[in-house]
Amino acid sequence: MSNRPDCNDSNANISPAQAEVCEAGAFSGQVDNDCDGDKNDVDPELPAGSSGTRLWYGDGDNDGHAGPGFKLRWCVNPTNLVDPATGNVLVQGTYLATEPDDCNDAHSGIIQRLIWYEDRDGDGCGNPLTGREACGSPAGCGFPFVTNNKDTSDSNPADCRP
């Protein structure tokens, strides 16, 4: 049991003994369920999951594709969120609920992710069984990656079919 005082004696669902949850609806409808002084959207104790927050990803270039650079855990979409009680801007920018898929979130025309293939024999042709999607060539593997899958045997540099 918490040492915090009950912040709403008329509602049994709002007390220091309650867990914080996301209420359906807009930011103005969020409640401080556990009386810690934080509405759900700014409460670090709020769990992730079905009754908790979700991850929202920033879309810096406003092209409808989230970039990998910034994310927030929030109950409702935080895009340009303003506190209706104070008029204070809580969050600036556009956020999406989709996983990041924008390779260059500074330019709206560049979103392409490519399939990269292992080229263990260094012949410039990739193994078609080893493709992985990424914004750039995967690093740190000890061998190069290429964007074609024309290698019939990735242990023989003579079998490249460009």
Side-chain angles (χ1 to χ4, degrees):
M1 180 97 175
S2 170
N3 292 332
R4 293 187 297 257
D6 193 339
C7 59
N8 189 335
D9 287 330
S10 64
N11 187 336
N13 293 322
I14 301 174
S15 79
Q18 295 298 321
E20 197 70 59
V21 295
C22 287
E23 284 79 30
F27 174 75
S28 59
Q30 300 300 308
V31 175
D32 177 14
N33 305 93
D34 62 1
C35 297
D36 68 352
D38 292 321
K39 282 181 130 181
N40 298 353
D41 286 326
V42 293
D43 193 335
E45 297 173 18
L46 187 63
S50 60
S51 66
T53 60
R54 70 179 311 158
L55 278 174
W56 296 90
Y57 299 90
D59 179 13
D61 56 11
N62 293 310
D63 63 358
H65 295 271
F70 198 74
K71 61 186 174 186
L72 291 174
R73 188 167 294 287
W74 214 261
C75 289
V76 298
N77 188 329
T79 296
N80 297 318
L81 189 60
V82 175
D83 186 333
T86 65
N88 293 334
V89 175
L90 300 173
V91 178
Q92 288 182 324
T94 302
Y95 288 83
L96 305 169
T98 56
E99 290 284 328
D101 66 347
D102 194 336
C103 292
N104 186 336
D105 209 26
H107 300 287
S108 63
I110 305 172
I111 58 170
Q112 184 178 14
R113 295 173 64 90
L114 300 172
I115 305 294
W116 293 87
Y117 301 91
E118 294 178 6
D119 180 18
R120 290 181 180 257
D121 59 11
D123 61 3
C125 290
N127 180 341
L129 303 176
T130 63
R132 61 183 81 170
E133 189 177 21
C135 287
S137 177
C141 295
F143 49 84
F145 284 81
V146 294
T147 56
N148 74 63
N149 61 358
K150 306 289 185 185
D151 211 335
T152 57
S153 171
D154 209 18
S155 59
N156 180 0
D159 67 354
C160 181
R161 299 171 297 155

